[in-house]
Amino acid sequence: MIALTLIALTLTGAPPAQQQNPFLPPRASLHYSPDRTCDLQHLEVDLDVDYPNKTIVGTSTNTLSPLRSGITEVLLHAGSDLTISRVTLDGKNVRFRRDGNDLLITTGLLKKGTPVKIAISYTGKDAKGRPFGAGGGWHWIQPTPANQSPTRVGFWTQGETNYNSQWAPTWDYPNDFTTSETRTTVPAEWDVVGNGVLVSTKTSADKKKKTYTWRMTQPHATYLLSLVGGPFDIKKDKWEGVDLWYVVPRGEGIYIDDSFGHTKDMLSFFSNRVGVKYPWPKYAQNAMYDFGGGMENVSATTLGEGSLTEARAGYFNMDSLNSHELGHQWFGDLVSCYNWGDTWLNESFATYMDAMYFQHSRGEVSYQYEIDGNMRGYFGEASRYKRPLSTKMYPNGDAMFDSHSYPKGGAILHTLRQYLGDEAFFEGLKQYLTKWRHTPVESAQLRRAMTEASGINVEPFWAQWIEKPGHPVLDYTWSFTAGDGLALTVKQLQDTSDGTPIYDIPATVDFISSGGIRVSQPVHLTKAEETFKWQLTTKPAAVVFDPEHRFLRQIPNLHWTEAELPVIARFASNAPDRAEALRRLLEKSTEASIALAVELFSKDMGRDPVFQNVTPLGNLAKPELRSFWTAQLESENFARRAAAVQALGKLPQEATTTARLRSLVNDKAPIQVVVNAINALAAWDAKANADLFTAAVNIKDRRGQIKRAAEAALAKAK
């Protein structure tokens, strides 16, 4: 139904921006999950890794049960870079042919329900510099001009969306689950980490090679199969009987605790919150060279080595990435999307699990910023194109990994949680994960679980938020007249010509007094324009629509008056609203707005502040604020302290401040604080501080920021 609507819109003339929509024809087409000849029951992969020649020699053995009678040919997938030398059926050679990545195997008549074993022998070779498995599949780690370390060697695999068949011929689509086992032979000094449990390691007779056998006895999608190999630093631990592996390139073990220190807390929080314990026997987090972001391979997440961090860089800077990928172990691994058109069932949930973890570990303000960031992250893409969250109309599976599946979907899950309430929302997630564990699913199965858990038919919610494109674009104004009270007019301005609906939304509005008393009133949006009235005897000092940001919405023009701004900055219930009100006040930088900013910032000294950006105040370069900025150096928030140093650097040089900034150039202070202090001192008097810069060249940090700043300051001194 949705696909037909999209086609009609294209033919009848969509808006120019939407004519470029990659999710409309001709760029997009209908994608249904492919037909299967067999049920893949078990996958065994034997690999011999020849690193000097960048070659793998392997055998992929697929245990398959025919799904119907009359099958004489089995379809599997094999990357075009693989040279297949032999295919056997239960040990006997059989004919095969190839059509792109399709491997069609002549089997003779198979009996429904009687398993067979198809073994495929192959070689993968990196020929003439062409990267074998570039972008997905198999990746060789090699030294670079910037890093010639002998430990910068090894490999990793990347399966999503359909790239694992580039190194292990099998059924490569998420509509079938299998158990798996890998046996990987590598140089003896290497480690290999795979899915499930390490069954054995065996060293060759000549001590030059070692074979690692990993086994996963629980069914999973084949795109989640993973291997990483190389010289590693590995730290092992346990959480409630689950083995934990922290894996980084050799020499980088010093970053493990600062990078992965909250893993146990995440495991406990997620297990308790969704009501399903972490479902796998092991969890490995593998930080690999050349890898970007993270990939939630079942029980063995792959992460980018560049994301590793240290305590002085910030408060557990990898928490967002780590919680996202760990969240996938439930949403995307335990239960996976049946079709890439339902990628949101994987990525939206992982995005929202990240936000929920911040709510748990950092508080409500951090959660509010996470949701606000999700909304803003999606709006940028929505200005270029809009599509339903769940759709079978797409150009290819990889295209589904956009800002609709990630931040928009995360914001919609927040919307659903607010709509149902915590009890029903989390009971729905528990039922969904429990009923469909180890199963590929479609969006409707989550909808059914939510309805059954809450007693609320969420089909209308699905219809407008999940199955149609777009989002509410709102405008609201209010007026107060003595005797008549307050009137609030709300308009839905979204373009509905592309299938975006006029939304039905239960919402609220806050009336805020000058003393900070908030009175919340319900409003229910159902039309393009509506006016709501209240018989109030006293005019509120400010009116804020959807004060808690309970649903995905865009409000391009906030008609907050000059009189409302200080009230909203002080008393609004949502941190991004308070910060926006103060930002607007500081645009005019009056004495009153500066005084208010100083007051609010001085009360906001925690690790996760309401007011995250203090730079506009620092840019005013007011000497009378010197003591204020000096006090801000005691903030728990590293970014606030760094901004305070930057603000002090904009003021005229003064002996006490110089001494204070010099004291911050050490190997204990936050890295950005040290860098900013060096820059400020260099701007004031580089020659007088050259001794400090000379010493600072030897202060180590992971990315060399301090050394670079010190060297630049020394160059200025000379």
Side-chain angles (χ1 to χ4, degrees), residues 488-671:
L488 171 74
T489 298
V490 182
K491 298 178 182 179
Q492 297 195 40
L493 303 178
Q494 61 270 18
D495 179 5
T496 58
S497 67
D498 60 1
T500 301
I502 294 295
Y503 287 81
D504 184 310
I505 304 171
T508 58
V509 58
D510 267 6
F511 306 143
I512 309 176
S513 73
S514 58
I517 297 174
R518 294 195 301 265
V519 177
S520 185
Q521 293 292 315
V523 292
H524 196 140
L525 305 184
T526 60
K527 301 175 183 177
E529 181 174 343
E530 296 168 279
T531 298
F532 306 90
K533 295 183 178 181
W534 292 268
Q535 290 296 322
L536 301 182
T537 57
T538 304
K539 180 181 179 181
V543 174
V544 179
F545 178 77
D546 187 29
E548 296 177 343
H549 296 213
R550 295 175 64 86
F551 60 91
L552 171 65
R553 81 290 193 279
Q554 186 175 17
I555 306 178
N557 298 303
L558 288 166
H559 305 292
W560 293 341
T561 65
E562 291 294 320
E564 287 181 284
L565 291 176
V567 178
I568 295 170
R570 286 182 185 274
F571 304 122
S573 57
N574 183 269
D577 279 350
R578 295 184 64 192
E580 173 61 17
L582 189 59
R583 185 194 69 78
R584 293 186 178 200
L585 282 169
L586 285 174
E587 284 180 343
K588 295 187 177 180
S589 62
T590 63
E591 288 187 16
S593 66
I594 292 171
L596 178 61
V598 168
E599 175 193 341
L600 294 177
F601 293 162
S602 297
K603 295 177 180 177
D604 187 41
M605 298 283 281
R607 189 190 65 211
D608 304 288
V610 170
F611 302 100
Q612 296 186 342
N613 183 13
V614 300
T615 301
L617 186 62
N619 287 341
L620 298 178
K622 290 190 171 292
E624 60 268 29
L625 296 181
R626 187 183 297 273
S627 61
F628 162 75
W629 290 117
T630 302
Q632 291 293 307
L633 294 174
E634 304 302 322
S635 171
E636 294 181 53
N637 181 266
F638 284 11
R640 177 74 67 86
R641 286 155 70 176
V645 172
Q646 201 168 40
L648 287 167
K650 294 179 182 295
L651 304 180
Q653 183 180 9
E654 184 264 343
T656 303
T657 307
T658 298
R660 183 64 191 279
L661 264 56
R662 282 180 62 92
S663 74
L664 296 174
V665 181
N666 59 64
D667 61 359
K668 300 292 189 296
I671 293 166

Side-chain angles (χ1 to χ4, degrees), residues 239-562:
W239 169 86
E240 296 191 11
V242 175
D243 290 330
L244 302 181
W245 289 47
Y246 306 104
V247 182
V248 300
R250 189 165 295 168
E252 300 201 51
I254 57 173
Y255 303 117
I256 286 176
D257 290 345
D258 292 342
S259 298
F260 302 114
H262 283 164
T263 297
K264 288 185 178 181
D265 186 55
M266 291 176 188
L267 284 162
S268 296
F269 171 68
F270 288 155
S271 296
N272 293 332
R273 204 66 176 107
V274 302
V276 175
K277 186 182 176 183
Y278 175 79
W280 315 109
K282 167 193 105 273
Y283 189 52
Q285 292 169 101
N286 309 314
M288 295 292 109
Y289 286 121
D290 304 335
F291 199 87
M295 176 61 207
E296 65 276 9
N297 304 304
V298 59
S299 80
T301 285
T302 308
L303 302 156
E305 177 270 346
S307 296
L308 294 174
T309 189
E310 58 188 309
R312 293 187 301 141
Y315 181 73
F316 288 92
N317 283 346
M318 277 191 75
D319 274 2
S320 180
L321 175 62
N322 291 343
S323 59
H324 178 105
E325 301 306 335
L326 178 56
H328 268 307
Q329 298 296 316
W330 287 265
F331 298 96
D333 291 10
L334 182 60
V335 179
S336 296
C337 63
Y338 188 85
N339 182 289
W340 293 120
D342 272 329
T343 295
W344 82 279
L345 294 174
N346 301 2
E347 297 301 345
S348 301
F349 269 102
T351 301
Y352 191 57
M353 294 284 268
D354 169 7
M356 286 199 303
Y357 183 70
F358 272 52
Q359 185 179 32
H360 156 75
S361 64
R362 307 190 182 197
E364 199 64 29
V365 165
S366 291
Y367 177 75
Q368 290 170 356
Y369 273 110
E370 287 289 305
I371 298 304
D372 185 69
N374 285 342
M375 293 186 191
R376 293 178 185 274
Y378 154 68
F379 293 150
E381 185 170 272
S383 67
R384 295 186 288 111
Y385 70 84
K386 294 181 284 182
R387 67 166 177 86
L389 200 57
S390 174
T391 180
K392 288 184 172 60
M393 179 68 72
Y394 52 89
N396 54 66
D398 289 339
M400 292 300 299
F401 294 80
D402 61 0
S403 291
H404 284 67
S405 290
Y406 287 78
K408 181 185 183 182
I412 287 176
L413 288 172
H414 163 77
T415 303
L416 179 62
R417 178 183 175 186
Q418 303 306 310
Y419 176 65
L420 294 178
D422 275 13
E423 182 181 26
F425 178 77
F426 289 110
E427 180 59 29
L429 297 188
K430 180 180 179 180
Q431 289 191 23
Y432 169 72
L433 293 169
T434 301
K435 184 173 184 178
W436 302 109
R437 66 188 293 137
H438 305 306
T439 307
V441 298
E442 297 178 286
S443 181
Q445 287 160 285
L446 174 64
R447 185 185 71 203
R448 181 71 177 270
M450 287 296 179
T451 295
E452 292 180 352
S454 66
I456 299 170
N457 183 3
V458 298
E459 191 169 357
F461 184 98
W462 246 244
Q464 66 178 2
W465 291 107
I466 310 294
E467 297 167 351
K468 292 181 181 177
H471 58 278
V473 180
L474 305 180
D475 185 84
Y476 76 93
T477 56
W478 66 280
S479 62
F480 180 85
T481 306
D484 292 334
L486 188 143
L488 171 74
T489 298
V490 182
K491 298 178 182 179
Q492 297 195 40
L493 303 178
Q494 61 270 18
D495 179 5
T496 58
S497 67
D498 60 1
T500 301
I502 294 295
Y503 287 81
D504 184 310
I505 304 171
T508 58
V509 58
D510 267 6
F511 306 143
I512 309 176
S513 73
S514 58
I517 297 174
R518 294 195 301 265
V519 177
S520 185
Q521 293 292 315
V523 292
H524 196 140
L525 305 184
T526 60
K527 301 175 183 177
E529 181 174 343
E530 296 168 279
T531 298
F532 306 90
K533 295 183 178 181
W534 292 268
Q535 290 296 322
L536 301 182
T537 57
T538 304
K539 180 181 179 181
V543 174
V544 179
F545 178 77
D546 187 29
E548 296 177 343
H549 296 213
R550 295 175 64 86
F551 60 91
L552 171 65
R553 81 290 193 279
Q554 186 175 17
I555 306 178
N557 298 303
L558 288 166
H559 305 292
W560 293 341
T561 65
E562 291 294 320

Side-chain angles (χ1 to χ4, degrees), residues 669-680:
I671 293 166
Q672 196 59 51
V673 168
V674 177
V675 169
N676 287 0
I678 290 171
N679 292 340

